[in-house]
Amino acid sequence: MNRSSGHSWIVGNAVALACLLVAAQAGAQADAAHREWQVPRTPYGHPDLQGYWTNASFTPVERPEALGEKAFYTDEELDRLIQEGVARGFEQTEPGTVADVHYDLSQFGLTRGQDGFVRNNRTSIVVDPPNGRIPPMTPEGEARAAARAQARRENPPTDRVQNMALATRCIIWGANPPLMPIGYNSNLQIVQSPDYVMILVEMMQDARIIPLDGRAPLPEEIRQWKGSSRGYWDGDTLVITTANFTDETAFRGASEHLVVTERLTRISDDRIRYEFTVDDPHTWVRPWSGEYPMEKTVGPIFESACHEHNYGVRNTLAGARAEEQRQREAAAAASRP
């Protein structure tokens, strides 16, 4: 080994050693910070999840197929996607389209980016299966989906109010588990007592009250839009199991046999890790799971006065009746000699 190569070897190893020392120091600092942070607790000893949280996100439920097994975006990729998403929120709608007759969210500070959002480098909320996609439906699930589609064609929402979706009728939206990010009003409040946890979602002002006292599930014949939830603490994680859904809830085409298991874990002062598993063998060939972070936000939860000002339902039905009358008049005129 000549002097030059020996010098290079020494310098190279010195640089490598310095890098290792820096990495070790950074790791030690991170470990120390992790050790210093303690899960806050309520006066009765449970992990404290209380407060106002948002799950607004630009992360899609399913991973775009073109990404394959890519589970995470880089920070640069995420920045670009967020910029594109914010820009879409300010795009003007095409006149004459369904979107055009809805109010412009940007006028009320409701587009993501205006009302806040949580950075999430995951390429999908679905984490299992590993491809980030919801599993295929069973033959039973496909048949039920086809029957529902046929029923919608035969009984369109313009016929009568009962044919409209539950969210359109301001009955329920966003409160039934699993808690999924929605277009706006993606905020919630958690309140705890020794024997209960209450989750209030901003959309529709709907509260889910979850007992922690070990009571038995509801009888199978009792069905509810939000299902029936029972919770317990697994270490520092709140576990909630919900069953007894109605067939009207139909989360992503699910049947009334749907069972949802949620896990909420406080991982820092300003974040909760929210995990869920969806299990319905009457709909999908296997259970599937998702995960995303909730981030602390500023309260209070604002009133979502959907019922009081839900003139959209009335206008939709009135418009359909007016169109039917116009068609009848046109047909009558065409039949005259």
Side-chain angles (χ1 to χ4, degrees), residues 128-279:
D128 183 48
N131 65 359
R133 309 285 297 179
I134 295 174
M137 282 188 166
T138 61
E140 179 185 350
E142 291 177 344
R144 190 172 57 254
R148 285 172 174 164
Q150 180 64 27
R152 285 192 295 271
R153 287 191 293 269
E154 295 175 352
N155 303 282
T158 52
D159 277 1
R160 60 177 189 151
V161 67
Q162 288 84 355
N163 296 346
M164 294 183 177
L166 297 179
T168 303
R169 295 155 61 191
C170 295
I171 293 176
I172 184 171
W173 185 8
N176 46 310
L179 297 171
M180 303 297 280
I182 50 182
Y184 56 96
N185 290 351
S186 294
N187 303 305
L188 55 94
Q189 181 183 7
I190 299 177
V191 177
Q192 295 172 240
S193 74
D195 296 323
Y196 294 90
V197 172
M198 186 276 291
I199 301 177
L200 170 69
V201 297
E202 187 170 30
M203 189 67 85
M204 309 297 181
Q205 301 287 281
D206 214 331
R208 180 157 54 113
I209 300 174
I210 302 138
L212 309 175
D213 54 9
R215 69 183 63 185
L218 288 179
E220 186 176 351
E221 62 271 17
I222 297 178
R223 301 284 169 176
Q224 304 180 134
W225 280 320
K226 296 194 296 282
S228 174
S229 297
R230 300 288 185 267
Y232 65 92
W233 291 99
D234 180 11
D236 289 340
T237 297
L238 174 64
V239 182
I240 307 168
T241 301
T242 306
N244 295 77
F245 290 95
T246 75
D247 58 0
E248 293 184 62
T249 305
F251 170 71
R252 290 192 165 259
S255 74
E256 64 180 6
H257 304 286
L258 171 69
V259 176
V260 177
T261 302
E262 303 164 279
R263 299 177 65 87
L264 286 79
T265 308
R266 185 85 176 259
I267 57 175
S268 70
D269 281 336
D270 62 352
R271 283 212 168 190
I272 288 175
R273 181 171 62 242
Y274 178 77
E275 305 166 274
F276 66 88
T277 296
V278 172
D279 190 3

Side-chain angles (χ1 to χ4, degrees), residues 50-82:
Q50 298 181 103
Y52 300 97
W53 306 88
T54 180
N55 61 4
S57 175
F58 287 97
T59 306
V61 175
E62 294 188 275
R63 184 181 306 154
E65 292 189 66
L67 295 179
E69 298 296 317
K70 182 181 176 69
F72 294 93
Y73 288 118
T74 65
D75 286 338
E76 293 77 13
E77 291 170 330
L78 181 60
D79 288 340
R80 184 173 64 254
L81 289 169
I82 290 172

Side-chain angles (χ1 to χ4, degrees), residues 294-307:
M294 295 180 182
E295 195 165 272
K296 186 172 282 291
T297 189
V298 178
I301 294 290
F302 291 107
E303 180 187 8
S304 176
C306 186
H307 279 294

Side-chain angles (χ1 to χ4, degrees), residues 110-144:
L110 294 176
T111 63
R112 281 169 294 183
Q114 287 181 304
D115 64 343
F117 63 92
V118 185
R119 286 185 65 90
N120 182 8
N121 288 73
R122 288 191 178 276
T123 55
S124 62
I125 289 177
V126 174
V127 297
D128 183 48
N131 65 359
R133 309 285 297 179
I134 295 174
M137 282 188 166
T138 61
E140 179 185 350
E142 291 177 344
R144 190 172 57 254

